[in-house]
Amino acid sequence: MTDNDIHRFFAPCPRGLENILLAELEGLGATELSVAEGGVGFRGPFSVVYSANLHSRIASRVLWQVGAGRYRNEEDIFRGALALDWPRMFAPDRSIRVKVSAISSPLRSLDFVTLRIKDAVCDKFRERSGARPDVDTAQPDVRIHAFLEADRFTLYLDTSGEPLFKRGVRTFAGEAPLRENLAAGILRLAGWSPEIVLLDPMCGSGTFLIEAVQMALAIPSGHRRKFGFEKLLGFDAPTWARIQSAAESSIKSTISLP
């Protein structure tokens, strides 16, 4: 892949925040945006995906759509996954994890679908080079997502890695922590800006306040964390470095509070 190639992506988010996410992605250069329940689809080059992972305060992940098709049974999904050129996307020494979710799917076992997709990916690598990726369900290098509808499947590669609501600044969370992207979305729905006093009378672990401080100081939500796209083939390190540098230079050291 090159930075000029245009791809299709999907960014899931907390329900009710889709329109806020759409505006955020549009501001980052995404095109052909479309709202779905629980997320936003869009198109763009990978530079947009780098920016979305770094800057989006609302998205939970950014998924790269790599395949889709109709199915009647598990073998249709296996053949669809086998037809994809996985060795062009990541190296065989990268570990993988497959996650399947579904709405209105007639298939009885998502675990079996997961296994068949994993088999298809590994078979494609063995066919190409004789080597195959290992499976790591805890800390995989590459996360493969499959989404099943009533008669259609879609396959994605996760460009984010760890969920984007994991900002990398919290070392401890309480029993019922509020996810950071939901807190950011509530702040935006409330119309809060740094010129407005923010009172959080039930601050708990301080999620609202931490998000507000980062927003006020223009600290990117993905500041100084790693992303899944860095482990994919075709990763454009110079472009990523420029995006990071521009974000770093925009961070404010101090602000005047009301």
Side-chain angles (χ1 to χ4, degrees):
M1 76 192 75
T2 68
D3 186 53
N4 293 323
D5 292 337
I6 302 299
H7 302 272
R8 186 180 299 277
F9 302 93
F10 183 77
C13 69
R15 301 290 174 92
L17 300 182
E18 294 90 349
N19 288 325
I20 295 176
L21 175 57
L22 184 146
E24 189 178 60
L25 292 170
E26 187 173 34
L28 293 171
T31 60
E32 298 183 41
L33 296 102
S34 59
V35 170
E37 189 174 359
V40 175
F42 66 96
R43 294 177 68 90
F46 261 84
S47 58
V48 170
V49 169
Y50 298 166
S51 294
N53 276 288
L54 180 62
H55 290 289
S56 177
R57 309 204 77 88
I58 308 301
S60 300
R61 299 181 179 276
V62 181
L63 304 175
W64 173 23
Q65 182 177 321
V66 296
R70 300 288 180 183
Y71 76 95
R72 291 175 296 177
N73 52 45
E74 293 87 351
E75 292 311 299
D76 290 337
I77 299 172
F78 171 83
R79 286 191 290 271
L82 184 64
L84 297 177
D85 194 358
W86 300 102
R88 185 183 65 85
M89 305 176 204
F90 59 92
D93 60 353
R94 296 295 191 185
S95 60
I96 64 170
R97 176 187 178 185
V98 179
K99 181 177 181 180
V100 178
S101 57
I103 295 178
S104 302
S105 173
L107 303 183
R108 295 183 178 181
S109 173
L110 296 187
D111 288 340
F112 185 55
V113 176
T114 301
L115 177 64
R116 295 304 284 149
I117 294 173
K118 184 271 295 180
D119 289 343
V121 174
C122 292
D123 285 355
K124 175 62 72 172
F125 274 97
R126 275 194 294 257
E127 171 190 301
R128 185 69 55 84
S129 64
R132 51 149 287 180
D134 291 330
V135 173
D136 184 344
T137 58
Q139 294 292 329
D141 295 318
V142 176
R143 300 165 192 252
I144 300 166
H145 293 253
F147 179 64
L148 311 183
E149 299 171 271
D151 62 353
R152 181 176 174 82
F153 69 90
T154 309
L155 295 169
Y156 301 94
L157 280 180
D158 188 345
T159 71
S160 302
E162 287 292 317
L164 296 179
F165 59 77
K166 293 185 177 182
R167 309 295 202 215
V169 299
R170 189 187 300 280
T171 58
F172 173 78
E175 293 184 4
L178 179 68
R179 288 184 173 179
E180 283 78 356
N181 59 340
L182 179 56
I186 292 173
L187 287 171
R188 290 186 178 171
L189 285 173
W192 178 82
S193 67
E195 297 76 31
I196 301 173
V197 173
L198 177 62
L199 173 64
D200 185 1
M202 298 181 294
C203 70
S205 56
T207 306
F208 281 114
L209 302 180
I210 293 171
E211 283 297 303
V213 167
Q214 288 194 325
M215 292 165 68
L217 293 175
I219 298 174
S221 54
H223 190 230
R224 296 182 180 174
R225 59 157 278 179
K226 296 293 187 180
F227 297 98
F229 60 72
E230 297 177 71
K231 297 179 179 180
L232 300 179
L233 295 177
F235 167 54
D236 188 343
T239 295
W240 173 228
R242 287 195 296 272
I243 291 171
Q244 286 182 299
S245 178
E248 193 79 27
S249 65
S250 298
I251 295 175
K252 303 173 185 176
S253 57
T254 60
I255 53 171
S256 298
L257 295 176

